[in-house]
Every structure is written in C-alpha cells, then in structure tokens.
Amino acid sequence: MIAGPIRQLIKEFQRLPGVGEKTAFRLVMHVLESPQPQAQALADALVEIKQRIRPCSRCFQMTEEEVCAICASPKRDSSVICVVEDQASLMAIERARQFYGIYHVLGGRVSPMEGVGPGDLRIAELLKRIEGEGVKEVVVATNPNVEGEATALYLKRALEPYDVEITRIARGIPMGGDLEYSDALTLGRAFEGRMKY
Amino acid sequence: MIAGPIRQLIKEFQRLPGVGEKTAFRLVMHVLESPQPQAQALADALVEIKQRIRPCSRCFQMTEEEVCAICASPKRDSSVICVVEDQASLMAIERARQFYGIYHVLGGRVSPMEGVGPGDLRIAELLKRIEGEGVKEVVVATNPNVEGEATALYLKRALEPYDVEITRIARGIPMGGDLEYSDALTLGRAFEGRMKY
C-alpha cells in the first residue's frame, strides 16, 4: 500500500553501510519533507563523484585530475612517501594536517580471509616510484591491526633492497587515552616504542 | 587537497538527519568503492521520489496517484479513519498490519515551541471528510508525547460536535516491556486504560 518510489528509495538507502531498515525509512521521510533542490543536489553529487573521480596516476588517491593536487603541489615534500591502505586513511591523515610528504594508496591490505594477497595491492607501483622519484623515506601507515601489520611487514621486506629509510607510524596509547583501559597489545607497543624524554 | 566532488558529496550526505562528518565520510568511501550503477540507482531514486510523489487528495499520505492505494482499496473500511501526525506514523501502522480502515495525515502536531498551531494542520480537511464520507469512527493515533497529546485533545474537541465515535490508541506498557523499567506516566496510563480480563 506504499508508493513504489518510496519503497525504492528505502531499498537504495539500505545498501549504504550502517543503514538498516529504520534508518533508511527515516532518511526517506526526511527527503520527502525536504525541498526538491536538496534531494537533487545529493543525486547530482552521487552522479558527479562516479563520473569525475578516478585514481591519481602517481599515488592512486581519488582525484579529478591525471595527477592529484597533493602529488602536483610544490609545497609537498616528494622525497617522503606515506603508504596507506585506502583513501579513507589518506583523508584522515590530511585532515590532521601533520604530514607534508606525498602518498601511495595500496588499494587494500593483505587479508588471507578475504583472499587478498600482496599481488592484489599496488606494491609493484610503489617500488617503481621508489626507483624513479628520488624517494628518501617511506612511512608505512597501514592500520595497526592484524591485516595492516601483516601488510606492513610484507612492505618492509619488499622495500629492504632499496636505498630508502623505512619507518612505521608509532602505535601506543592515544592522546586523551587511559592506561587503565588500554589493552595489553597497545601497552606492549607503547613500551616497545618508548623514546628518550 | 581533496577533490571537489568528494567534498561535495560529504557535504550533501551531512544534510541528512543523524549523519555527521564521520558517517558522511564513510558513506562517500563506500560510494567511491561501489560500482557506478549502484550510485546511479540511489541518485535516480532520489530524483524519482521528488518528481512522482505528492499527497493523496483525500488522506494526504504520500502517493503517486491522485487518490492513494489505501483510499482506493475496496478492502479497507472507509468508515474508520485513523488520524496520524505524519507519513512516518502511517507507514509504521501499515507495517504492523493491525489496522484496516483508512487514514488522515495531519501534516504535523500542535507545537507552540515550533510555532505550529492547529490552523497549520489539516484539521479542516478532516472535518470536511467526516461530513461527506459517512465516517463512523475516528481513531486518534497521534504520538503519546506532550505535543501529540495536545494535538489529540484539540482534535477531540473539534470532533465532538460531529456524530462520530472518537477513540484514542491505548498507551501502556509495550509488549516485551518491563514494569520495573516503565516510567510513572506510562504506568499511570496503563492503569487508567486497564480493561476487563
């Protein structure tokens, strides 16, 4: 008894991650009540992003250009490459404004569970960049979980034959965190990575 | 340093209720990684719903037709009108499949805080229907909160001059609920509304 376009939009919203039936329903109610241009703007943005965005030919981050703004920027230190798993990690680092080198997006992580091996990641592309771009340091910034650590270890071995410094982002107690509630693995890393004070 | 279309889609997602910066970001990452037709389908559904959906001329629920499927159905008892605040309430009742009459969507609730008075709701339209449609019962199904109760009370007074039975949905302990954790107001209503067993 519910109109087709309403059911359809509920269905499409439910395909998004973390959106269940109730959330989809709430979103549709919002769209029904909001002015037409707002729904149109969201629709246009969805089409635009798929039409205009592609991977940078150098670092593989998502961009509108052949070479992304970070790779093309004269302000970025192109002798330091930060290797990340995906666009989400890259954007988190950019938001923090704490890194002024350039990136390399692997396009995933080593995950035997999901059938992803090192050959499925952009590691050959990284090695080619190291040969040709005068890279001095590679900061391995994969996530500090089982798969990210495995990926980091694989990268370390692949990079060892090259004349570059290989570094790994520090793992430890997050700022604002509490030792009392930190897990053993994190505490272990915090001690392992302790620095002269 | 982030591409325009990505920033744009994050912005548009953030206009949706309950979607903050982090959620919007996660949704955009999903769209970037999902196949183009899926993003297109969501975009199309958004455009469609605004183009094709309008209020039913009789009950004001959202529909593609002049008169909605519920109003047009010979299986629904048109002598019983359930008055709801909005489309969301109507759809919740429809999902439950416990009501076989027809509806009247007020388009809101009396809310002095938001500057919504009875004149802003479709009450005149309801009275006109009662005069012309041979209605026997009006079930007031506004939400059991301050504004919904105020709206219900206003409706009761507006409907009293008419030869219709006015009923209000029961308020009490929800099924699966627990007396221990019920608030005093709900318990009060549960006793007030007790029935012969």
Side-chain angles (χ1 to χ4, degrees), chain A residues 29 33, chain B residues 59-62 82-90 104-112 114-123 125-126 140-155 168:
Chain A
M29 288 305 119
E33 283 161 21
Chain B
C59 75
F60 301 96
Q61 89 138 314
M62 294 297 177
C82 174
V83 181
V84 290
E85 293 177 18
D86 50 28
Q87 183 73 18
S89 295
L90 185 154
H104 187 83
V105 181
L106 289 176
R109 59 219 63 99
V110 174
S111 170
E114 293 166 29
V116 180
D120 300 311
L121 307 179
R122 299 191 195 100
I123 294 175
E125 289 86 342
L126 174 63
V140 180
T142 54
N143 285 310
N145 52 32
V146 174
E147 291 155 352
E149 292 289 346
T151 310
L153 196 62
Y154 185 90
L155 278 171
R168 177 92 174 99

Side-chain angles (χ1 to χ4, degrees), chain A residues 3 14 30 36 42 80-81 160 163 168 176 179 184-185 190:
Chain A
Q14 278 195 73
H30 173 83
Q36 199 277 335
L42 176 53
V80 185
I81 292 185
E160 266 164 358
D163 182 27
R168 177 93 175 98
L179 267 77
L185 222 58

